[in-house]
Amino acid sequence: MAVCCITGRPLKGEDGTLKGGVVVLHDITLQKRAQETLTRAKEEAERTSKFKDQFLSTMSHELRTPLNAVLGFL
């Protein structure tokens, strides 16, 4: 399905009376698809970053717990 942007202007004669009009259709399908692709990529990057942060937090906790026990024995 094509996505269009429509613009229009009246055409007036020298005396200012309306003689007709011009309508221009711009196919912006590719721009819309590119925008959607960028939006999806940004959302995926944000989701991946959140998972990374959760993983690092969990790993940090899991490593600190046994290390604290070892340090306590020392």
Side-chain angles (χ1 to χ4, degrees):
M1 178 171 84
V3 179
C4 293
C5 176
I6 303 170
T7 55
R9 299 277 187 251
L11 289 177
K12 296 184 178 182
E14 291 180 12
D15 60 355
T17 60
L18 184 63
K19 298 290 183 179
V22 175
V23 176
V24 179
L25 302 172
H26 295 278
D27 184 358
I28 58 171
T29 304
L30 293 177
Q31 291 91 336
K32 283 289 190 179
R33 286 183 187 159
Q35 174 94 29
E36 291 168 359
T37 300
L38 286 174
T39 300
R40 282 193 303 273
K42 179 181 176 240
E43 290 169 354
E44 179 66 21
E46 289 171 350
R47 191 169 62 88
T48 301
S49 178
K50 182 179 174 182
F51 286 140
K52 177 199 65 148
D53 291 344
Q54 289 174 345
F55 173 77
L56 291 176
S57 176
T58 301
M59 287 307 297
S60 174
H61 179 270
E62 294 299 323
L63 288 174
R64 265 184 285 160
T65 301
L67 288 176
N68 285 336
V70 170
L71 290 174
F73 287 122
L74 290 176

